[in-house]
Amino acid sequence: DGEMKAWDGPVSEVYSPVCFPTPEGYKRKLIGTYPICTEKEANDALDAAIAAYDNGRGEWPTMSIADRIKCMERFIFKMSEQRTLVVKLLMWEIGKSYGDSAKEFDRTIEYINATIDALKDIDRQSSRFEMAEGLIAQIRRSPLGVVLCMGPFNYPLNETFTTLIPALIMGNTILFKPPKHGTLLHYPLLRAFQESFPKGVVNTVYGRGAVVTPGLMQTGKVNVLAFIGSSKVANDLKKRHPKINRLRAVLSLDAKNAAIVTKNADLQLAVSECILGALSFNGQRCTAIKMIFVHKDVADEFLKLLSEEVSKLKFGLPWDKDVKLTPLPEPNKSELLKEMVDDAIVHGAKVINENGGTSVASFFYPAIVYPVNEKMKLYREEQFGPVIPVIPFESIEEPIEYQIDSPHGMQVSIFSNDAHEISSLIDPFVNLVSRVNINSQCQRGPDVFPFTGRKDSAEGTLSVHDALRSFSIRSLVATKMNETNKQ
Ligand code: G3H
């Protein structure tokens, strides 16, 4: 019913990817528990969100934009008070380094502030009137109803909030399920939500996604699905909705972003950007570079530099100084990555860097796999981890054909120092993916840039401004002009 209550039901134990040696081997540390909701409890939370929306007549959807902004500013203040704890939980729960965890928190606060500014722009625009054909219209943006928000484990705070915050501030009511890895860090923020927004406006559902979310969709009462994660889960959830044509979906999904290193590239720059792209947060980003095409004339030199630079990356625990590679939160991830690497070896590739593909506890040492071909799982499947597949190419048609055949269409990175070559490559790629990066890694930010994808990689667009549009509809009040209102 939108209230916080003590929980006496079943709980799920949360184990950190940070392991400790025991006589039986490395063990993940138990760091907390979270409630497991039943389908009924999840549906109660949905009912609370529906009641708070009240067909658009609730306190929140009818509140002025200025007052909604005041609530959000209160939330920012209360959220900021929890920074130390949330950053600590990010490190323990998903193994993200201290620097990246702090960045995730601060980026989220900046995102909320930027969202407020963007909403003020929208508010200013809707105070203008448009006149045409004897009518005077005030055009505004109105909420859509109940939004189910689900974020991914790799940015459990930031990416959850890139949908939750714009959806909320546009006047929708929220049902939100934290990701399996990255649940505890939301606890300190629950009270901040409760103390900043009217009752029933933000509702949290815990538990196993496969148990609670299909039932929520089947009610047909979720108006918007905001999901960041796997394409398979998103499709399954969408299909559950009985009136799919009435469901709006804002999705950011699977990707297999390629880097293309031409023979005219600055190889040192290409290597450092490819490492950032492929291995930041251990490659666990939808925007990670997950395939590298390198021109055969520069392949040897590129691979040598790449191996040297990878060997310099520091492994360690999230709080270690200058750490770049940290433990993987998904318990079976090392085995899955190993299987992909072994499959590539069976089909003729080698791991070319020392220790590549080995694992200890929940660490996985990055594997540079070369030469990759179309028979290998690594060619198409998203590894979402520290494995770098490399393919030599002779003609630029080869990476273009790869992208045409790909089910994904998020981003590519092109590395070249030849302006003519760069401009000849932009057109073939810009209509296949949603962002072409020149001499730079793939990435989502800055957050004012549109973030989306083609094919199976996304639906709808996120960014500070785009997200406000994605979670609202343009509506208007049109009045027939007479002598009085003409003036
Ligand atoms: O995992 C997908 C994220 O959108 C990646 O964001 O490029 O800012 O790391 P990022």
Side-chain angles (χ1 to χ4, degrees):
D1 59 3
E3 294 286 356
M4 285 219 299
K5 291 183 190 139
W7 179 259
D8 55 8
V11 295
S12 187
E13 292 181 329
V14 178
Y15 288 88
S16 173
V18 175
C19 293
F20 290 91
T22 72
E24 298 86 46
Y26 286 98
K27 287 259 159 70
R28 289 177 172 239
K29 185 174 167 60
L30 179 66
I31 53 169
T33 59
Y34 62 81
I36 301 177
C37 290
T38 59
E39 205 177 328
K40 153 103 184 48
E41 283 151 347
N43 285 348
D44 289 348
L46 173 60
D47 287 342
I50 293 169
Y53 190 68
D54 192 14
N55 291 305
R57 295 176 304 175
E59 179 187 358
W60 183 244
T62 56
M63 192 182 277
S64 70
I65 286 184
D67 284 343
R68 270 191 241 142
I69 288 173
K70 274 190 206 142
C71 293
M72 195 57 86
E73 284 169 343
R74 195 177 318 138
F75 177 72
I76 293 174
F77 178 77
K78 290 177 182 296
M79 176 173 165
S80 301
E81 290 181 329
Q82 303 298 332
R83 184 180 186 276
T84 307
L85 182 53
V86 175
V87 168
K88 196 182 271 184
L89 285 166
L90 272 165
M91 292 191 282
W92 276 99
E93 268 193 283
I94 61 162
K96 197 171 259 195
S97 69
Y98 171 75
D100 286 347
S101 296
K103 200 152 95 191
E104 175 162 354
F105 189 94
D106 297 341
R107 180 180 182 178
T108 309
I109 295 282
E110 280 164 28
Y111 185 90
I112 305 175
N113 277 313
T115 299
I116 289 175
D117 290 341
L119 185 60
K120 286 179 183 164
D121 284 348
I122 289 181
D123 197 23
R124 271 192 292 276
Q125 282 160 22
S126 66
S127 58
R128 287 201 295 266
F129 290 90
E130 288 188 24
M131 284 181 266
E133 298 184 22
L135 294 171
I136 180 163
Q138 191 209 22
I139 302 173
R140 55 174 89 176
R141 284 211 158 259
S142 301
L144 296 163
V146 174
V147 182
L148 172 59
C149 295
M150 295 166 72
F153 82 81
N154 59 329
Y155 276 101
L157 175 71
N158 178 265
E159 283 212 289
T160 305
F161 279 25
T162 58
T163 62
L164 190 159
I165 295 295
L168 177 59
I169 207 164
M170 287 314 289
N172 301 284
T173 59
I174 308 294
L175 195 59
F176 124 74
K177 192 198 135 336
K180 183 173 169 197
H181 307 290
T183 292
L184 299 182
L185 60 94
H186 286 283
Y187 277 16
L189 305 179
L190 293 186
R191 193 163 293 284
F193 276 123
Q194 195 195 27
E195 291 171 356
S196 307
F197 300 99
K199 184 179 159 187
V201 167
V202 181
N203 307 278
T204 316
V205 175
Y206 294 100
R208 305 202 170 95
V211 174
V212 289
T213 49
L216 292 172
M217 295 303 288
Q218 271 155 9
T219 63
K221 293 176 184 167
V222 170
N223 302 100
V224 186
L225 172 65
F227 177 85
I228 301 179
S230 92
S231 309
K232 188 178 168 304
V233 174
N235 282 335
D236 184 55
L237 286 174
K238 269 172 68 181
K239 277 192 223 136
R240 305 268 176 169
H241 198 288
K243 297 175 199 139
I244 198 157
N245 58 328
R246 295 212 198 146
L247 175 75
R248 181 176 291 195
V250 182
L251 313 171
S252 180
L253 307 169
D254 299 352
K256 185 90 179 173
N257 311 300
I260 297 141
V261 182
T262 76
K263 60 182 172 187
N264 300 309
D266 171 341
L267 292 187
Q268 196 69 58
L269 172 80
V271 163
S272 59
E273 288 293 316
C274 283
I275 287 179
L276 271 180
L279 296 179
S280 295
F281 191 40
N282 313 296
Q284 301 167 121
R285 296 156 64 224
C286 58
T287 49
I289 289 176
K290 294 165 186 163
M291 176 64 83
I292 300 177
F293 286 88
V294 58
H295 192 278
K296 67 174 189 31
D297 290 359
V298 292
D300 287 349
E301 196 184 343
F302 176 82
L303 288 166
K304 181 171 162 288
L305 285 171
L306 186 66
S307 308
E308 277 168 18
E309 293 303 317
V310 166
S311 72
K312 292 179 195 163
L313 298 175
K314 185 174 166 188
F315 264 97
L317 295 176
W319 37 86
D320 289 345
K321 196 166 175 284
D322 298 329
V323 67
K324 295 284 184 250
L325 298 159
T326 50
L328 307 180
E330 294 173 288
N332 57 350
K333 190 71 193 192
S334 293
E335 286 74 36
L336 292 174
L337 292 173
K338 191 87 181 57
E339 267 173 46
M340 286 182 110
V341 172
D342 287 347
D343 168 78
I345 292 169
V346 167
H347 291 98
K350 286 197 170 91
V351 174
I352 61 150
N353 58 320
E354 206 179 328
N355 298 325
T358 55
S359 64
V360 179
S362 40
F363 288 102
F364 188 89
Y365 196 86
I368 304 171
V369 183
Y370 181 84
V372 165
N373 64 45
E374 68 286 351
K375 293 190 206 103
M376 302 168 186
K377 285 184 186 169
L378 267 180
Y379 185 79
R380 283 264 175 255
E381 289 176 26
E382 186 179 16
Q383 62 272 39
F384 215 80
V387 174
I388 312 180
V390 185
I391 303 186
F393 74 90
E394 200 162 352
S395 154
I396 195 66
E397 283 306 312
E398 294 164 44
I400 295 174
E401 285 301 321
Y402 175 83
Q403 197 59 59
I404 290 172
D405 291 345
S406 172
H408 308 111
M410 194 173 272
Q411 302 196 8
V412 296
S413 288
I414 297 170
F415 294 93
S416 171
N417 266 355
D418 178 330
H420 179 70
E421 180 176 54
I422 291 172
S423 64
S424 73
L425 288 179
I426 291 174
D427 275 348
F429 284 106
V430 86
N431 291 338
L432 292 171
V433 297
S434 63
R435 174 164 163 169
V436 176
N437 302 282
I438 308 294
N439 291 324
S440 156
Q441 64 153 326
C442 299
Q443 59 187 328
R444 172 168 44 123
D447 291 329
V448 288
F449 287 176
F451 178 56
T452 181
R454 294 169 183 268
K455 301 186 194 171
D456 291 347
S457 287
E459 202 170 316
T461 305
L462 292 168
S463 83
V464 169
H465 282 84
D466 287 296
L468 292 175
R469 294 183 201 112
S470 296
F471 294 106
S472 61
I473 184 167
R474 258 154 76 88
S475 57
L476 62 147
V477 179
T479 309
K480 200 168 179 76
M481 280 199 273
N482 56 31
E483 284 315 310
T484 320
N485 63 18
K486 249 183 206 167
Q487 289 150 24

PDB file of all heavy atoms in Angstrom, residues 179-190:
ATOM      1  N   PRO A 179      17.794  -4.755  -9.763  1.00  0.00           N
ATOM      2  CA  PRO A 179      18.409  -5.941 -10.376  1.00  0.00           C
ATOM      3  C   PRO A 179      18.853  -6.937  -9.310  1.00  0.00           C
ATOM      4  O   PRO A 179      19.088  -6.563  -8.160  1.00  0.00           O
ATOM      5  CB  PRO A 179      19.618  -5.376 -11.115  1.00  0.00           C
ATOM      6  CG  PRO A 179      19.861  -4.033 -10.542  1.00  0.00           C
ATOM      7  CD  PRO A 179      18.592  -3.542  -9.939  1.00  0.00           C
ATOM      8  N   LYS A 180      18.986  -8.199  -9.714  1.00  0.00           N
ATOM      9  CA  LYS A 180      19.379  -9.266  -8.777  1.00  0.00           C
ATOM     10  C   LYS A 180      20.704  -8.922  -8.096  1.00  0.00           C
ATOM     11  O   LYS A 180      20.846  -9.062  -6.876  1.00  0.00           O
ATOM     12  CB  LYS A 180      19.502 -10.560  -9.575  1.00  0.00           C
ATOM     13  CG  LYS A 180      19.835 -11.757  -8.763  1.00  0.00           C
ATOM     14  CD  LYS A 180      19.760 -12.990  -9.645  1.00  0.00           C
ATOM     15  CE  LYS A 180      20.348 -14.187  -8.944  1.00  0.00           C
ATOM     16  NZ  LYS A 180      20.652 -15.251  -9.894  1.00  0.00           N
ATOM     17  N   HIS A 181      21.701  -8.516  -8.880  1.00  0.00           N
ATOM     18  CA  HIS A 181      22.960  -8.057  -8.278  1.00  0.00           C
ATOM     19  C   HIS A 181      22.878  -6.536  -8.258  1.00  0.00           C
ATOM     20  O   HIS A 181      22.926  -5.910  -9.315  1.00  0.00           O
ATOM     21  CB  HIS A 181      24.161  -8.502  -9.115  1.00  0.00           C
ATOM     22  CG  HIS A 181      24.165  -9.981  -9.391  1.00  0.00           C
ATOM     23  ND1 HIS A 181      24.396 -10.909  -8.416  1.00  0.00           N
ATOM     24  CD2 HIS A 181      23.927 -10.673 -10.526  1.00  0.00           C
ATOM     25  CE1 HIS A 181      24.316 -12.126  -8.939  1.00  0.00           C
ATOM     26  NE2 HIS A 181      24.025 -12.000 -10.215  1.00  0.00           N
ATOM     27  N   GLY A 182      22.753  -5.966  -7.067  1.00  0.00           N
ATOM     28  CA  GLY A 182      22.610  -4.508  -6.989  1.00  0.00           C
ATOM     29  C   GLY A 182      21.279  -4.122  -6.372  1.00  0.00           C
ATOM     30  O   GLY A 182      20.662  -3.134  -6.771  1.00  0.00           O
ATOM     31  N   THR A 183      20.835  -4.941  -5.421  1.00  0.00           N
ATOM     32  CA  THR A 183      19.562  -4.663  -4.738  1.00  0.00           C
ATOM     33  C   THR A 183      19.800  -3.902  -3.444  1.00  0.00           C
ATOM     34  O   THR A 183      19.120  -2.909  -3.173  1.00  0.00           O
ATOM     35  CB  THR A 183      18.845  -5.995  -4.405  1.00  0.00           C
ATOM     36  OG1 THR A 183      18.449  -6.594  -5.624  1.00  0.00           O
ATOM     37  CG2 THR A 183      17.611  -5.767  -3.559  1.00  0.00           C
ATOM     38  N   LEU A 184      20.791  -4.357  -2.670  1.00  0.00           N
ATOM     39  CA  LEU A 184      20.977  -3.785  -1.326  1.00  0.00           C
ATOM     40  C   LEU A 184      21.257  -2.289  -1.390  1.00  0.00           C
ATOM     41  O   LEU A 184      20.849  -1.529  -0.518  1.00  0.00           O
ATOM     42  CB  LEU A 184      22.145  -4.476  -0.604  1.00  0.00           C
ATOM     43  CG  LEU A 184      22.000  -5.981  -0.353  1.00  0.00           C
ATOM     44  CD1 LEU A 184      23.217  -6.494   0.422  1.00  0.00           C
ATOM     45  CD2 LEU A 184      20.732  -6.298   0.414  1.00  0.00           C
ATOM     46  N   LEU A 185      21.956  -1.858  -2.431  1.00  0.00           N
ATOM     47  CA  LEU A 185      22.349  -0.450  -2.493  1.00  0.00           C
ATOM     48  C   LEU A 185      21.146   0.468  -2.649  1.00  0.00           C
ATOM     49  O   LEU A 185      21.261   1.684  -2.463  1.00  0.00           O
ATOM     50  CB  LEU A 185      23.357  -0.232  -3.622  1.00  0.00           C
ATOM     51  CG  LEU A 185      22.900  -0.570  -5.037  1.00  0.00           C
ATOM     52  CD1 LEU A 185      22.359   0.643  -5.745  1.00  0.00           C
ATOM     53  CD2 LEU A 185      24.066  -1.159  -5.809  1.00  0.00           C
ATOM     54  N   HIS A 186      19.985  -0.114  -2.969  1.00  0.00           N
ATOM     55  CA  HIS A 186      18.784   0.725  -3.064  1.00  0.00           C
ATOM     56  C   HIS A 186      18.129   0.954  -1.698  1.00  0.00           C
ATOM     57  O   HIS A 186      17.328   1.868  -1.546  1.00  0.00           O
ATOM     58  CB  HIS A 186      17.769   0.101  -4.033  1.00  0.00           C
ATOM     59  CG  HIS A 186      18.186   0.256  -5.471  1.00  0.00           C
ATOM     60  ND1 HIS A 186      18.057   1.445  -6.142  1.00  0.00           N
ATOM     61  CD2 HIS A 186      18.744  -0.611  -6.345  1.00  0.00           C
ATOM     62  CE1 HIS A 186      18.513   1.304  -7.378  1.00  0.00           C
ATOM     63  NE2 HIS A 186      18.946   0.071  -7.519  1.00  0.00           N
ATOM     64  N   TYR A 187      18.461   0.114  -0.727  1.00  0.00           N
ATOM     65  CA  TYR A 187      17.833   0.265   0.606  1.00  0.00           C
ATOM     66  C   TYR A 187      17.962   1.675   1.170  1.00  0.00           C
ATOM     67  O   TYR A 187      16.978   2.252   1.627  1.00  0.00           O
ATOM     68  CB  TYR A 187      18.460  -0.715   1.610  1.00  0.00           C
ATOM     69  CG  TYR A 187      17.891  -2.111   1.579  1.00  0.00           C
ATOM     70  CD1 TYR A 187      17.120  -2.554   0.510  1.00  0.00           C
ATOM     71  CD2 TYR A 187      18.124  -2.989   2.622  1.00  0.00           C
ATOM     72  CE1 TYR A 187      16.622  -3.834   0.481  1.00  0.00           C
ATOM     73  CE2 TYR A 187      17.624  -4.279   2.589  1.00  0.00           C
ATOM     74  CZ  TYR A 187      16.872  -4.688   1.523  1.00  0.00           C
ATOM     75  OH  TYR A 187      16.379  -5.959   1.501  1.00  0.00           O
ATOM     76  N   PRO A 188      19.201   2.237   1.194  1.00  0.00           N
ATOM     77  CA  PRO A 188      19.329   3.552   1.840  1.00  0.00           C
ATOM     78  C   PRO A 188      18.503   4.624   1.132  1.00  0.00           C
ATOM     79  O   PRO A 188      18.279   5.688   1.708  1.00  0.00           O
ATOM     80  CB  PRO A 188      20.834   3.864   1.709  1.00  0.00           C
ATOM     81  CG  PRO A 188      21.494   2.592   1.359  1.00  0.00           C
ATOM     82  CD  PRO A 188      20.483   1.726   0.700  1.00  0.00           C
ATOM     83  N   LEU A 189      18.064   4.341  -0.092  1.00  0.00           N
ATOM     84  CA  LEU A 189      17.330   5.369  -0.843  1.00  0.00           C
ATOM     85  C   LEU A 189      15.818   5.245  -0.674  1.00  0.00           C
ATOM     86  O   LEU A 189      15.070   6.158  -1.049  1.00  0.00           O
ATOM     87  CB  LEU A 189      17.708   5.287  -2.326  1.00  0.00           C
ATOM     88  CG  LEU A 189      19.215   5.378  -2.576  1.00  0.00           C
ATOM     89  CD1 LEU A 189      19.530   5.258  -4.050  1.00  0.00           C
ATOM     90  CD2 LEU A 189      19.777   6.700  -2.029  1.00  0.00           C
ATOM     91  N   LEU A 190      15.369   4.131  -0.106  1.00  0.00           N
ATOM     92  CA  LEU A 190      13.918   3.930   0.005  1.00  0.00           C
ATOM     93  C   LEU A 190      13.275   4.998   0.869  1.00  0.00           C
ATOM     94  O   LEU A 190      12.228   5.547   0.542  1.00  0.00           O
ATOM     95  CB  LEU A 190      13.615   2.549   0.585  1.00  0.00           C
ATOM     96  CG  LEU A 190      13.978   1.371  -0.304  1.00  0.00           C
ATOM     97  CD1 LEU A 190      13.487   0.078   0.318  1.00  0.00           C
ATOM     98  CD2 LEU A 190      13.385   1.537  -1.696  1.00  0.00           C
TER      99      LEU A 190
END
